[in-house]
């Protein structure tokens, strides 16, 4: 990559630990890994709206041992889909939220995640879904390699159904180790036949406990060959957990990024990443 530019774009008060982001028609949608809400933020008005996905004694700042760990969000057709990480049995829920009336359907993901674990031979300590993208009729699920086995895996669920006899294939993706820290997928988005992703590094090898932040990298995978094309560090201090395409008229490819800084603050910063098209 010859050039990239990373800048803070928006501060949104009322959401912490942002873990996934989408953008369409001027509307930012976010999920948080310690919250039970889908958040919507129109850029023109700046008014944050919450839509409750699952009721409970606590619906924000949920304790680690009770949270759904919502880590991935993607838009498909007339719905926004949200996915738990699957790193514990309590985190095997997903949701489909209608864009028109916000009607919410709960997705039981245990069977799908079990098929993924079985297909790739991944044990519970290494299974941690951090990003989901859509490619044609298929779904792409990214397993973050922050467990003891370091398994960065790109799963493909063939066809639109996630619950009716899902057919799953997978590819192992080798991400770099930089300064002794391995990087693991944190999210991805599709443009054309390319999967643009972000990955983060943390000290320690656990899908459950947070470690000291070691930075974030940006990269691309060719979806024809499923091979890594490029990757490069974009920050040594930020833990970016969500990425979405952001339309621009410049000569760059642009993205929105959200960050989980592992703090209890109620403010999240949305960043803009511009990448030179010659990369």
């Amino acid at each position: 990559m010859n050039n990239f530019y990373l800048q803070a774009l928006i501060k949104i008060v009322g959401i912490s630990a942002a873990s996934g982001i989408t953008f369409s028609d001027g509307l930012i949608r976010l999920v948080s890994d310690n919250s039970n809400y889908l958040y919507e933020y129109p850029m023109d008005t700046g008014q944050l709206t919450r839509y409750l996905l699952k009721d409970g004694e606590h619906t924000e700042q949920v304790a680690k041992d009770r949270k759904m760990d919502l880590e991935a969000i993607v838009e498909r057709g007339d719905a926004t889909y949200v996915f738990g990480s699957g790193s514990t049995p309590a985190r095997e829920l997903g949701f489909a939220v209608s864009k028109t009336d916000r009607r919410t359907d709960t997705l039981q993901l245990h069977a799908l995640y079990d098929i993924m674990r079985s297909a790739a031979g991944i044990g519970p300590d290494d299974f941690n879904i951090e990003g989901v993208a859509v490619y044609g009729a298929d779904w792409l699920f990214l397993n973050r390699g922050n467990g003891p086995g370091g398994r960065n895996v790109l799963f493909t669920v063939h066809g639109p159904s996630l619950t009716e006899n899902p057919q799953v294939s997978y590819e192992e993706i080798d991400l770099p180790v930089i300064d002794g820290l391995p990087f693991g997928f944190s999210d991805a988005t599709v443009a054309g036949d390319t999967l643009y992703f972000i990955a983060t590094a943390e000290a320690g090898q656990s899908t459950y406990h947070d470690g000291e932040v070691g930075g974030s990298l940006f990269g691309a995978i060719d979806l024809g060959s499923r091979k890594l094309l490029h990757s490069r560090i974009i920050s040594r201090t930020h833990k970016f957990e969500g990425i979405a395409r952001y339309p621009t008229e410049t000569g760059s490819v642009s993205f929105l990024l959200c960050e989980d800084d592992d703090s209890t603050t109620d403010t999240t910063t949305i960043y803009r990443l511009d990448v030179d098209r010659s990369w």
Side-chain angles (χ1 to χ4, degrees):
M1 188 192 308
N2 294 321
N3 295 295
F4 72 90
Y5 182 63
L6 179 67
Q7 62 176 318
L9 185 65
I10 301 168
K11 285 190 180 294
I12 302 177
V13 177
I15 175 174
S16 66
S19 55
I21 185 172
T22 67
F23 178 82
S24 62
D25 301 321
L27 184 64
I28 295 173
R29 294 180 172 91
L30 296 156
V31 288
S32 163
D33 68 9
N34 64 11
S35 166
N36 292 7
Y37 289 92
L38 168 67
Y39 300 87
E40 293 189 352
Y41 182 87
M43 293 182 70
D44 58 349
T45 67
Q47 289 291 116
L48 183 68
T49 303
R50 298 169 173 83
Y51 296 98
L52 186 62
L53 301 174
K54 183 177 182 291
D55 205 356
E57 181 181 359
H58 301 285
T59 55
E60 292 184 294
Q61 301 291 347
V62 182
K64 183 180 286 288
D65 62 344
R66 298 181 181 181
K67 68 181 185 178
M68 294 188 291
D69 201 29
L70 301 177
E71 291 284 359
I73 179 173
V74 67
E75 295 180 36
R76 181 169 191 151
D78 187 44
T80 303
Y81 290 82
V82 177
F83 299 89
S85 68
S87 57
T88 71
R91 301 174 178 186
E92 295 181 332
L93 286 179
F95 302 91
V97 183
S98 168
K99 293 181 183 178
T100 54
D101 60 10
R102 305 307 186 272
R103 180 177 60 86
T104 299
D105 294 325
T106 301
L107 306 174
Q108 301 293 336
L109 298 175
H110 173 76
L112 174 64
Y113 285 175
D114 209 37
I115 290 170
M116 291 179 180
R117 285 186 287 258
S118 178
I122 291 182
D125 289 345
D126 277 304
F127 191 75
N128 189 14
I129 297 299
E130 290 276 330
V132 179
V134 171
Y135 180 53
D138 299 339
W139 303 83
L140 305 176
F141 285 72
L142 290 94
N143 188 76
R144 182 181 177 192
N146 62 331
R151 303 284 302 276
N152 284 299
V153 179
L154 173 59
F155 290 99
T156 302
V157 181
H158 300 276
S161 177
L162 296 171
T163 57
E164 296 180 9
N165 191 29
Q167 303 299 304
V168 173
S169 61
Y170 75 96
E171 287 82 25
E172 301 271 355
I173 307 294
D174 291 327
L175 296 184
V177 176
I178 300 174
D179 296 334
L181 290 177
F183 279 77
F185 286 127
S186 55
D187 199 13
T189 187
V190 170
D193 294 318
T194 302
L195 184 72
Y196 293 99
F197 69 87
I198 48 176
T200 59
E202 291 180 283
Q205 293 180 317
S206 172
T207 61
Y208 187 79
H209 296 289
D210 296 322
E212 182 180 352
V213 175
S216 297
L217 65 78
F218 170 84
I221 294 170
D222 177 72
L223 287 172
S225 64
R226 303 298 167 104
K227 300 298 184 184
L228 180 66
L229 298 174
H230 309 283
S231 65
R232 179 173 172 175
I233 291 282
I234 56 172
S235 174
R236 294 282 184 174
T237 58
H238 294 91
K239 189 173 91 170
F240 292 120
E241 294 226 343
I243 183 171
R245 278 297 306 273
Y246 186 62
T248 178
E249 296 179 357
T250 69
S252 301
V253 182
S254 297
F255 304 88
L256 296 182
L257 307 180
C258 65
E259 178 185 23
D260 179 0
D261 61 4
D262 294 331
S263 72
T264 58
T265 178
D266 70 343
T267 300
T268 191
T269 302
I270 305 300
Y271 294 80
R272 173 172 169 171
L273 173 68
D274 297 316
V275 180
D276 194 306
R277 290 183 183 272
S278 64
W279 172 49

